[in-house]
Amino acid sequence: MKKLLTILTPTYNRSEYLEDIFVSLQQQTNQNFEWLIVDDGSTDNTKEIAESFIKSNKIAIRYLYKKNGGKHTAVNYGLKYISTKLTVVLDSDDYFTNDAVEVIEKTYNENKNEENICGFTFLRQRKNGELFGKAFPREGRYNFSKWRLSKISVDERCDVFYSEIMKRYPFSEYEGEKYIGESTMMIKMSYQYDMICKNIDIYISDYLKGGLTDSSRRLRLHSLLGGMEYCNLSMMPGVYWKRRLKSALLYDAYGFLKDVGPKKLINDSNAPVLTMIFYPIATIIGKYWKNKYEL
């Protein structure tokens, strides 16, 4: 019988954390899911660990291997092999509450007839039980760009998408770059779709030293085109004004480091006036980063 949900885990040299996910998925009160592990070119024993999970035959698992290219490329790759109605990305060092799949299926059944919805959003908690940020002020329908980009700091959430819609908005992939802001996909979706938010925490995580979040500054400065795309999307009208200002400054700084001239930056910008205003100070920041990080 075809499953409802794919739990997509992109992973790179994190074999020691996969056991926690495996245990949490065995404990799910609803087993209407498949776990898809996408190995982004690991050099540890990830393949052997994944194969041992599959051999145990305790839950439905598939394992895919690809050349290392960054988390976003692993997500794109995995999407090609997904046929379930829903998809959720579960990072390799995180895990779900025991009722996560049950909550997701219940939410889907309650809202599957809603029009122009790309998915559902739930809360995340730290491993000590504290929530990431605050609960939604209300449950129900919301737009990502108008709500979650309404301030500079975006609280972490767990987003479950309709797979077919997610496939239409893959992450951009730039040669030689291994990072792009995860919100780029959601911002693009938000032009046409809303989401249903629920104040139920189903995702458990903490930031690990050496993880993607911990090393994001270094990754961004070596993934300048991806950074420019994210910042340009974050300058769209309707995004909180402080975020638009910050994004304009970073867009210019990344462009400077990439040797993109000011004329092209302005012409390609979603906020050309802001881009023009911030360019002089952005060049100073760019020069500072270039020296500090030996770019």
Side-chain angles (χ1 to χ4, degrees):
M1 183 177 177
K2 186 176 179 179
K3 302 293 187 179
L4 172 69
L5 175 70
T6 293
I7 299 171
L8 171 58
T9 297
T11 186
Y12 175 69
N13 288 346
R14 288 297 181 88
S15 61
E16 69 268 31
Y17 297 106
L18 294 176
E19 179 72 30
D20 289 337
I21 300 181
F22 185 48
V23 171
S24 78
L25 295 184
Q26 291 177 65
Q27 296 173 346
Q28 288 299 308
T29 56
N30 182 322
Q31 291 287 312
N32 196 5
F33 67 88
E34 176 183 62
W35 185 22
L36 177 59
I37 303 170
V38 180
D39 186 345
D40 188 37
S42 295
T43 57
D44 62 3
N45 63 336
T46 293
K47 181 179 180 180
E48 290 75 18
I49 293 293
E51 288 177 344
S52 72
F53 294 162
I54 294 171
K55 188 175 181 180
S56 73
N57 201 33
K58 293 182 178 179
I59 58 175
I61 305 175
R62 278 193 295 165
Y63 168 82
L64 301 174
Y65 179 90
K66 63 177 287 295
K67 182 180 178 181
N68 179 250
K71 177 182 175 180
H72 64 296
T73 67
V75 171
N76 285 348
Y77 188 79
L79 284 172
K80 298 175 184 178
Y81 296 88
I82 290 175
S83 60
T84 56
K85 176 68 72 173
L86 302 176
T87 298
V88 60
V89 175
L90 177 63
D91 289 342
S92 55
D93 48 2
D94 301 332
Y95 54 94
F96 280 136
T97 60
N98 291 347
D99 63 346
V101 177
E102 181 178 344
V103 169
I104 290 170
E105 181 165 354
K106 182 175 184 292
T107 303
Y108 163 72
N109 287 330
E110 291 172 347
N111 296 279
K112 61 185 177 182
N113 294 323
E114 286 278 343
E115 296 183 353
N116 297 321
I117 291 293
C118 63
F120 317 99
T121 296
F122 304 90
L123 303 180
R124 291 173 66 159
Q125 64 172 258
R126 301 182 187 277
K127 293 176 181 178
N128 63 7
E130 296 178 358
L131 285 180
F132 273 86
K134 299 178 181 179
F136 290 104
R138 62 172 177 81
E139 293 191 335
R141 191 179 185 119
Y142 83 102
N143 182 273
F144 178 85
S145 292
K146 294 179 180 178
W147 193 337
R148 278 168 64 185
L149 294 188
S150 63
K151 56 183 179 179
I152 292 296
S153 176
V154 179
D155 297 330
E156 295 287 344
R157 296 288 188 261
C158 173
D159 300 305
V160 182
F161 296 104
Y162 284 107
S163 302
E164 287 305 312
I165 295 177
M166 194 176 183
K167 290 179 180 183
R168 297 203 297 267
Y169 296 89
F171 291 107
S172 299
E173 297 185 20
Y174 299 101
E175 186 175 355
E177 297 194 0
K178 296 186 177 181
Y179 178 84
I180 192 169
E182 294 183 35
S183 294
T184 54
M185 176 186 287
M186 299 181 66
I187 295 171
K188 293 175 183 178
M189 285 185 188
S190 71
Y191 296 156
Q192 185 173 352
Y193 298 99
D194 292 333
M195 299 189 77
I196 299 294
C197 65
K198 300 290 288 186
N199 279 324
I200 307 173
D201 49 304
I202 65 171
Y203 191 112
I204 302 173
S205 64
D206 272 323
Y207 296 136
L208 295 180
K209 186 175 182 180
L212 184 60
T213 301
D214 183 58
S215 60
S216 62
R217 170 58 62 82
R218 175 179 54 82
L219 285 168
R220 286 189 181 99
L221 292 178
H222 287 87
S223 303
L224 296 169
L225 292 176
M228 289 174 63
E229 179 181 343
Y230 173 76
C231 291
N232 204 11
L233 287 169
S234 298
M235 288 191 284
M236 291 290 289
V239 175
Y240 186 51
W241 66 273
K242 286 186 179 180
R243 180 175 290 277
R244 295 187 74 205
L245 296 182
K246 179 181 179 181
S247 296
L249 181 62
L250 290 174
Y251 171 80
D252 281 341
Y254 294 152
F256 170 80
L257 289 172
K258 194 64 181 177
D259 294 324
V260 180
K263 183 176 181 180
K264 181 170 176 55
L265 284 173
I266 293 169
N267 288 339
D268 293 346
S269 175
N270 288 321
V273 174
L274 291 179
T275 300
M276 181 173 59
I277 291 172
F278 279 108
Y279 187 77
I281 189 171
T283 61
I284 298 173
I285 294 173
K287 290 176 182 177
Y288 170 74
W289 283 344
K290 193 170 185 178
N291 291 327
K292 180 178 181 180
Y293 296 103
E294 300 179 348
L295 300 174

